[in-house]
Amino acid sequence: MKSYFGSGVTCIYLDQFAASNLLDNPPNELWQKTSDLLFKRLKEGRIICPVPPEHFLESANKNRASAFAMDKRFAEVGHGLAFRLEVFMTADQIIALLRGTPLTKDSFCNRLARPDTLTKSGAFEDFKAKHELLKSQIDEATIGQNVVREITRKKKFSAVQMAPILSVLKKREMKPFYDLLDEVINNGRFVSKGVKFASGEVIHWADYVMQVLMAHHNMTRWEAVYLKDIVHRTGSDRIPCLDIRHTLTVNLAGEHKNESVNDHIDIMRLSTGLPPADLLFTDKQRKFELLQTGLAEKYGTKIFSGTSADLHEFYDVLENL
């Protein structure tokens, strides 16, 4: 147990499928029984299930009544806490690494502004529009690489042949951030560069993280030098959010898989949920990838999917808390 949320408190990450089945409408007796035990452990103060920010994006695709009901119950099992957005969590992890400070509950979570976020005027429609925009941007950004993966899939490159390619790809994922560190070291500042889509220009992830580091955490030039050295030697391996994001993204390439909006939402979820969670629900394919890449073991998280066997095991774990 990681104990970020207090001694004896188990942090459970619920993906949208598990949340729907446990908090909204359990589809069978086993899910209902597990839901009842989950709320029992909640009242005993033994568990916490913070709300992932992606929950709001995905709930906007449900019908209103179901989305509103689940939203309130999720806030309840989260004790009013929500996982922070990936960019802020990433920046906190970098600063903790640079300054030798421990990660805490506040590194991973914020208080929910209200227990019924989706009922706020216009919120449901706003999250629905954001989900549709995200889908269009991801479709646009991945069209070229998905064509390439179609070719590599047909050629059936072996894992041995793909290994050096994946190593290069993982380094390439970190290059935009590495280049920004050079700018900060040389100039004491950096120029933000947007990413252009048909729908408009958005900030690049590396620029956003750097903005938070400079404006919120007051990262110094000497800290930028230290960080550049860490990144040069270890890439993103010592920055959990980036490590998980880059490993899973590169793994998709290694498996020659096309990328979709659901893949990116899953990666956003796992990048923020895996480090603090003791127990984590995701789909069957993502569970396989977390085990295959060694990420589950590295971050000490027990992974469950929605299979009957996994749900029985999860129930047994809850019973023994």
Side-chain angles (χ1 to χ4, degrees):
M1 193 177 298
K2 299 172 187 177
S3 301
Y4 288 120
F5 298 87
S7 178
V9 179
T10 298
C11 178
I12 303 173
Y13 186 100
L14 300 177
D15 71 351
Q16 194 69 3
F17 177 75
S20 292
N21 286 344
L22 290 169
L23 308 179
D24 180 18
N25 186 25
N28 58 44
E29 185 180 350
L30 178 57
W31 279 104
Q32 182 63 65
K33 187 171 128 180
T34 307
S35 177
D36 292 343
L37 181 56
L38 185 83
F39 277 92
K40 180 182 177 186
R41 291 290 180 257
L42 174 74
K43 290 174 183 175
E44 294 168 347
R46 299 192 196 183
I47 67 165
I48 186 169
C49 310
V51 183
E54 295 78 18
H55 150 74
F56 302 112
L57 286 174
E58 295 188 298
S59 289
N61 290 319
K62 296 166 68 75
N63 69 68
R64 282 174 179 273
S66 181
F68 291 173
M70 192 172 85
D71 198 30
K72 286 185 178 181
R73 296 203 92 189
F74 218 149
E76 183 182 347
V77 297
H79 293 286
L81 291 180
F83 286 112
R84 301 179 73 191
L85 292 173
E86 186 179 358
V87 63
F88 296 106
M89 202 182 285
T90 300
D92 265 24
Q93 290 167 2
I94 289 171
I95 290 299
L97 176 62
L98 293 177
R99 298 175 184 171
T101 55
L103 295 173
T104 68
K105 175 187 72 176
D106 294 333
S107 305
F108 299 109
C109 290
N110 288 325
R111 296 295 310 175
L112 277 168
R114 53 188 294 161
D116 52 355
T117 300
L118 290 177
T119 63
K120 183 180 177 182
S121 178
F124 186 81
E125 293 77 12
D126 184 47
F127 281 111
K128 190 174 185 68
K130 285 179 179 174
H131 187 278
E132 290 170 357
L133 178 61
L134 179 63
K135 181 181 185 308
S136 71
Q137 289 174 341
I138 288 170
D139 287 346
E140 185 178 341
T142 58
I143 187 168
Q145 69 188 32
N146 284 344
V147 170
V148 172
R149 289 179 191 179
E150 188 70 28
I151 295 169
T152 60
R153 185 163 52 246
K154 288 177 181 176
K155 287 184 176 292
K156 297 182 180 178
F157 291 113
S158 69
V160 173
Q161 290 171 313
M162 286 299 296
I165 298 173
L166 299 184
S167 178
V168 170
L169 287 176
K170 194 167 184 185
K171 287 180 182 176
R172 192 181 72 177
E173 290 287 327
M174 202 64 180
K175 189 175 186 306
F177 190 72
Y178 190 84
D179 291 344
L180 285 180
L181 285 171
D182 266 341
E183 279 192 59
V184 171
I185 292 165
N186 293 330
N187 306 318
R189 58 187 178 81
F190 71 97
V191 178
S192 185
K193 307 159 196 69
V195 181
K196 293 181 180 178
F197 291 98
S199 56
E201 190 169 278
V202 299
I203 190 169
H204 192 278
W205 72 266
D207 293 15
Y208 200 179
V209 172
M210 191 62 75
Q211 280 188 9
V212 176
L213 288 172
M214 300 286 287
H216 181 69
H217 292 288
N218 298 313
M219 185 179 73
T220 67
R221 274 196 193 185
W222 286 114
E223 286 177 326
V225 170
Y226 180 31
L227 181 55
K228 183 184 172 184
D229 178 62
I230 292 172
V231 170
H232 176 71
R233 288 184 290 105
T234 64
S236 58
D237 290 353
R238 297 178 66 189
I239 307 165
C241 283
L242 293 183
D243 178 36
I244 296 161
R245 166 170 287 284
H246 293 169
T247 300
L248 292 176
T249 300
V250 168
N251 190 64
L252 287 175
E255 297 295 325
H256 318 292
K257 292 175 182 173
N258 290 355
E259 290 182 30
S260 68
V261 66
N262 290 335
D263 291 320
H264 280 260
I265 288 177
D266 284 347
I267 289 172
M268 288 160 63
R269 282 178 167 277
L270 295 171
S271 297
T272 55
L274 195 64
D278 299 293
L279 313 174
L280 181 145
F281 269 94
T282 187
D283 66 32
K284 196 173 180 180
Q285 180 58 37
R286 296 282 104 91
K287 176 183 176 180
F288 172 77
E289 291 165 3
L290 290 173
L291 297 175
Q292 176 194 38
T293 58
L295 287 171
E297 181 179 5
K298 181 175 181 177
Y299 292 99
T301 306
K302 178 69 178 172
I303 312 298
F304 301 89
S305 67
T307 64
S308 178
D310 273 16
L311 192 56
H312 275 102
E313 184 180 1
F314 178 69
Y315 184 88
D316 289 341
V317 171
L318 282 182
E319 256 200 329
N320 289 299
L321 289 180

